[in-house]
């Protein structure tokens, strides 16, 4: 009886997890059945609304490509996010003006999506996760059922991370621009990543500071960028190595140089880095690095990447110096 009741509760949860996985894999045509008007039923309806909004975005990109004279292969309409990003990149190459217009359109679509998804999905997801945690604590569950519930909770956590990345794009926190001590920030970021590095095998952290440096930017967002890229560097060094953060001045900018000797990237992988929904991680979405690029760009800085397969990667982050101090 308990098992039957558990299965009845977990069935809609499993469907939602399935839908989240499909979206993460680029399938935005997925539709979930709405069986009732409960919280889970409303969550399912909102999920379907989200996929419809993304389908409209695909249509707009396809139409723009046709106006530019680029025909879809065999008249096929774009249906996967990777295809859409490819179309966007082709449009970007036409002119600098089109590049800015297309990026603005894409960011606006993501911002609108974030506004609806955050409120309508994050709160019900918290309720669902709470019930899953209650089920997980029950002794009547078998080891296999415990594992299934644990996997669902992990997928819920990953979905929340994706939603938070969308919110970072939709609601930039640039009103709090201030003078930031780059040296203190670099040490803080490395201290925060020290325990994460210790969890991996044979990874050493090295910090090289050349001078006292003060930059202009948003302190919380800048450390978010450093932590994200440092974490990626640690994860890229599967066989251990040294992760170095170097801070110095160059041509009116403060520079954070992060270098690892991990698996590196090919030219093709490097060219697509920082675009939405492209990631070298098994369960990555690419949103983390895209957020980093947007944050630094809003600070009037830039991110440059040099990498060679199996030889490591170097991220160079430049942010304007505080002219009053310099």
């Amino acid at each position: 009886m308990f098992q039957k009741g558990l299965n009845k509760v977990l069935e809609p949860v499993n469907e939602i997890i399935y839908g989240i996985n499909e979206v993460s894999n680029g399938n935005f045509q997925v539709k979930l059945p709405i069986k009732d008007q409960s919280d889970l039923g409303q969550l399912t309806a909102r999920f379907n609304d989200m996929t419809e909004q993304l389908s409209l975005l695909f249509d707009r990109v396809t139409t723009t490509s046709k106006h530019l004279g680029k025909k879809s292969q065999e008249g096929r309409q774009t249906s996967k996010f990777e295809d859409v990003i490819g179309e966007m990149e082709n449009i970007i190459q036409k002119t600098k003006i089109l590049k800015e217009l297309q990026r603005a359109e894409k960011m606006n679509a993501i911002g609108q999506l974030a506004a609806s998804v955050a409120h309508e999905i994050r709160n019900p997801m918290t309720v669902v996760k709470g019930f899953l945690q209650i089920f997980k604590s029950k002794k009547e569950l078998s080891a296999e059922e415990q594992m299934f519930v644990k996997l669902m909770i992990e997928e819920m956590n990953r979905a929340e991370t994706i939603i938070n990345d969308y919110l970072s794009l939709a609601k930039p926190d640039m009103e709090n621009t201030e003078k930031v001590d780059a040296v203190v920030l670099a040490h803080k970021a490395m201290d925060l990543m020290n325990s994460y590095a210790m969890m991996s095998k044979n990874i050493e952290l090295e910090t090289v500071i050349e001078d006292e440096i003060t930059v202009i930017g948003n302190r919380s967002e800048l450390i978010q960028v450093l932590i994200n890229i440092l974490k990626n560097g640690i994860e890229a060094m599967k066989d251990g190595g040294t992760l170095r953060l170097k801070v110095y001045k160059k041509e009116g900018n403060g520079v954070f140089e992060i270098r690892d000797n991990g698996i590196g990237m090919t030219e093709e992988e490097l060219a697509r880095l920082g675009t939405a929904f492209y990631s070298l991680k098994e369960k990555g979405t690419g949103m983390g690095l895209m957020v980093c690029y947007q944050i630094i760009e809003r600070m009037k800085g830039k991110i440059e990447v040099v990498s060679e397969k199996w030889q490591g990667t170097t991220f160079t982050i430049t942010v304007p110096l505080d002219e009053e101090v310099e």
Side-chain angles (χ1 to χ4, degrees):
M1 189 70 178
F2 173 81
Q3 182 66 42
K4 185 177 180 180
L6 176 62
N7 290 338
K8 185 176 181 181
V9 172
L10 292 184
E11 182 180 357
V13 175
N14 286 332
E15 291 175 349
I16 293 171
I17 295 299
Y18 165 79
I20 291 171
N21 286 332
E22 287 296 299
V23 170
S24 296
N25 290 329
N27 176 18
F28 293 93
Q29 303 300 320
V30 61
K31 293 294 180 184
L32 303 181
I34 303 174
K35 298 179 179 179
D36 53 45
Q37 294 300 315
S38 64
D39 285 346
L40 285 175
Q42 293 179 30
L43 174 59
T44 301
R46 294 298 180 179
F47 180 90
N48 290 338
D49 289 342
M50 178 186 72
T51 60
E52 289 178 2
Q53 289 182 48
L54 288 171
S55 294
L56 289 174
L57 172 61
F58 295 170
D59 292 339
R60 292 166 68 186
V61 171
T62 302
T63 301
T64 303
S65 296
K66 289 180 179 179
H67 284 319
L68 289 172
K70 186 178 184 302
K71 296 180 179 179
S72 299
Q73 296 178 357
E74 300 179 356
R76 178 176 58 84
Q77 192 176 32
T78 302
S79 60
K80 289 187 178 295
F81 222 114
E82 274 196 298
D83 296 337
V84 173
I85 297 303
E87 293 287 344
M88 286 181 175
E89 289 174 350
N90 289 330
I91 293 170
I92 283 170
Q93 291 174 1
K94 295 290 182 179
T95 64
K96 185 177 179 180
I97 295 176
L98 282 176
K99 175 181 177 180
E100 293 302 320
L101 289 174
Q102 190 62 52
R103 196 193 66 172
E105 181 180 350
K106 182 173 64 174
M107 295 303 296
N108 181 56
I110 292 175
Q112 291 178 5
L113 177 65
S116 61
V117 169
H119 178 70
E120 302 294 348
I121 290 184
R122 189 164 57 177
N123 291 340
M125 279 179 58
T126 302
V127 175
V128 173
K129 191 167 69 173
F131 280 116
L132 287 173
Q133 289 170 338
I134 292 173
F135 282 122
K136 189 174 182 296
S137 65
K138 291 186 177 296
K139 297 180 180 179
E140 295 89 345
L141 294 181
S142 66
E144 185 180 32
E145 290 169 338
Q146 286 275 358
M147 181 187 69
F148 290 154
V149 175
K150 179 176 179 292
L151 287 174
M152 285 186 284
I153 292 174
E154 289 175 354
E155 288 300 311
M156 283 288 186
N157 290 335
R158 190 163 74 90
E160 286 179 345
T161 300
I162 294 171
I163 289 172
N164 289 334
D165 284 340
Y166 274 115
L167 285 174
S168 295
L169 287 171
K171 299 179 181 179
D173 184 22
M174 287 306 297
E175 294 183 359
N176 297 323
T177 300
E178 58 189 324
K179 297 178 182 180
V180 180
D181 189 324
V183 177
V184 172
L185 199 73
H187 283 301
K188 181 178 180 180
M190 290 296 263
D191 288 342
L192 290 171
M193 296 309 298
N194 187 55
S195 59
Y196 189 73
M198 290 175 63
M199 293 168 59
S200 305
K201 294 182 179 179
N202 302 319
I203 291 182
E204 295 182 2
L205 299 183
E206 179 183 338
T207 307
V208 179
I209 308 292
E210 292 191 353
D211 201 354
E212 294 183 1
I213 302 172
T214 303
V215 298
I216 295 295
N218 182 284
R219 188 187 310 273
S220 62
E221 290 196 333
L222 189 51
I223 197 167
Q224 176 187 347
V225 171
L226 293 179
I227 289 174
N228 193 307
I229 296 177
L230 287 167
K231 182 174 179 288
N232 287 347
I234 292 172
E235 292 172 351
M237 294 189 290
K238 301 181 184 299
D239 298 323
T242 300
L243 181 66
R244 186 179 73 166
L245 172 57
K246 184 178 179 180
V247 185
Y248 56 94
K249 299 177 185 176
K250 183 179 180 181
E251 300 175 354
N253 290 299
V255 181
F256 300 87
E257 183 182 280
I258 299 173
R259 177 178 299 177
D260 68 65
N261 50 8
I263 59 175
M265 290 175 279
T266 64
E267 290 185 6
E268 181 182 356
E269 291 169 339
L270 194 58
R272 300 188 63 187
L273 198 67
T275 58
F277 303 97
Y278 175 75
S279 176
L280 297 174
K281 299 178 184 179
E282 183 180 351
K283 293 188 176 182
T285 63
M287 294 301 296
L289 270 181
M290 186 177 181
V291 170
C292 291
Y293 276 79
Q294 294 296 326
I295 287 173
I296 297 301
E297 188 173 320
R298 290 196 297 264
M299 294 182 191
K300 299 180 181 180
K302 62 181 179 179
I303 297 178
E304 296 176 306
V305 189
V306 176
S307 185
E308 186 177 346
K309 197 64 176 177
W310 310 117
Q311 299 298 316
T313 302
T314 301
F315 279 81
T316 303
I317 306 160
T318 59
V319 183
L321 290 168
D322 177 22
E323 295 179 357
E324 293 183 5
V325 174
E326 302 307 320

